[in-house]
Amino acid sequence: MNRIKLHVRKGDNVEVISGNFRGSSGKVLEVIARKQRVLIEGVRLIKKHLKKSQDNPQGKIAEREGPIHISNVRVLERGERVAKGKGSKKKEKATKEKTPKSKGAKEE
């Protein structure tokens, strides 16, 4: 299974450089790697009409972000990423301070 390498990740601040939404910027909410598209906060808002239901007794028009092709986006600022997996535990252990013990000294 091959993984597609993309220049944008979730949490990055990006700017749209071409298309109808050129000049707008926001935070990446989701990256859809298979389709090479991204969802950006506040860009390309789509209105979806919802039928009446128990959740929406009146029905409503919901707004959500629509996908934009990843080639139309430029990274402005990288978001902070949290280390995942086994590597983060090893780093924590390595950063602990070690105090030397002298021979014959009693601990109190």
Side-chain angles (χ1 to χ4, degrees):
M1 184 165 138
N2 294 335
R3 223 172 108 178
I4 301 169
K5 178 90 170 157
L6 302 172
H7 69 284
V8 176
R9 288 189 184 176
K10 182 178 176 180
D12 292 349
N13 286 327
V14 295
E15 178 186 11
V16 180
I17 56 173
S18 65
N20 292 341
F21 305 96
R22 181 183 327 152
S24 55
S25 60
K27 183 177 171 185
V28 176
L29 300 175
E30 183 181 349
V31 177
I32 307 165
R34 182 169 278 169
K35 293 184 178 182
Q36 295 186 351
R37 296 191 173 265
V38 290
L39 294 178
I40 303 169
E41 186 177 31
V43 179
R44 192 174 178 227
L45 292 174
I46 294 172
K47 292 185 177 180
K48 179 172 177 146
H49 296 258
L50 299 174
K51 291 172 77 173
K52 293 179 182 178
S53 66
Q54 284 187 333
D55 296 335
N56 304 312
Q58 295 293 313
K60 72 175 188 179
I61 300 173
E63 283 192 347
R64 63 179 182 91
E65 288 82 8
I68 295 177
H69 198 270
I70 203 160
S71 66
N72 296 339
V73 163
R74 174 177 64 194
V75 177
L76 293 176
E77 188 178 316
R78 292 270 178 213
E80 291 184 20
R81 296 190 187 98
V82 178
K84 292 183 187 177
K86 299 175 186 175
S88 61
K89 290 181 183 177
K90 291 180 183 177
K91 290 179 185 176
E92 288 176 15
K93 290 180 183 177
T95 58
K96 289 183 181 177
E97 292 182 25
K98 295 182 179 180
T99 55
K101 293 182 182 178
S102 59
K103 293 181 182 178
K106 294 182 180 179
E107 292 183 26
E108 295 181 277

